Amino acid sequence: MKQKPSLKARALRFLASREHSARELAAKLKPYAEETDDIESLIQWLQEKGFLSEGRFAETYARHRAARYGSRKILYDLQNHQLPSSVMQEITETLEETELQRAFALWERKFGKPPETLPEKAKQIRFLQQRGFLGNIIRQVIKGDLPDFD
């Protein structure tokens, strides 16, 4: 008879595939936990040993989504993971530094030219808003009021 993996083994397997937040990992482990298992102490042990890092998770999450979404959307999604405020502050600063460049790159891939009519302009603005970019960034991109990114 094959023995089922321990909670620690499952946690390490989850972490080997990708970074997780503590909250997300705890939720994934909960269905496998038995009465004697202490998920909180396992999470703490994983953090102490460096297997689980909220900072690494947030950085990876933000980097993966940065090409398609604005900082507002990414930060909103990260808030659901209940990350420490220091981690959120660091990610916010990182995203804000590249917001205009990311918005322009996304806009250029999708549209490639400034809007010629009001309906086109509205469509481009809506697209960038739905992706979570801030209003002032959207206005700069649509106007073509862009600094040299080099």
Side-chain angles (χ1 to χ4, degrees):
M1 185 171 167
K2 191 174 181 180
Q3 185 177 357
K4 63 181 182 178
S6 69
L7 207 56
K8 185 188 286 186
R10 285 184 194 279
L12 291 171
R13 194 173 311 136
F14 285 138
L15 291 170
S17 65
R18 71 169 176 85
E19 295 289 342
H20 290 71
S21 68
R23 180 176 186 214
E24 180 182 36
L25 185 59
K28 279 187 166 185
L29 292 173
K30 193 172 184 176
Y32 303 104
E34 297 176 5
E35 288 181 29
T36 57
D37 292 329
D38 185 9
I39 294 175
E40 290 300 316
S41 63
L42 175 59
I43 296 289
Q44 187 175 355
W45 180 83
L46 290 166
Q47 288 173 327
E48 288 169 2
K49 297 295 182 185
F51 293 115
L52 179 67
S53 168
E54 302 280 33
R56 269 195 330 257
F57 166 75
E59 185 180 314
T60 303
Y61 188 93
R63 190 176 348 104
H64 180 71
R65 286 160 180 75
R68 295 182 323 207
Y69 298 105
S71 58
R72 190 174 3 163
K73 165 100 171 98
I74 295 168
L75 294 171
Y76 176 80
D77 291 346
L78 281 172
Q79 285 175 348
N80 293 331
H81 292 275
Q82 297 177 342
L83 301 173
S85 60
S86 60
V87 171
M88 290 297 290
Q89 181 64 34
E90 189 175 315
I91 292 299
T92 301
E93 291 169 7
T94 303
L95 288 171
E96 286 175 355
E97 289 173 6
T98 61
E99 181 88 346
L100 181 58
Q101 188 173 359
R102 291 182 296 110
F104 179 73
L106 182 63
W107 172 84
E108 194 170 45
R109 277 195 312 268
K110 176 77 173 175
F111 301 105
K113 63 182 177 114
E116 295 175 3
T117 64
L118 277 174
E120 277 183 43
K121 183 178 182 179
K123 179 180 180 178
Q124 292 182 14
I125 289 171
R126 255 191 329 274
F127 173 77
L128 292 172
Q129 282 176 333
Q130 289 171 344
R131 293 299 178 112
F133 290 99
L134 300 172
N136 61 333
I137 299 293
I138 294 171
R139 281 188 292 281
Q140 283 181 285
V141 169
I142 298 296
K143 280 188 206 172
D145 183 17
L146 305 167
D148 188 16
F149 293 124
D150 296 331

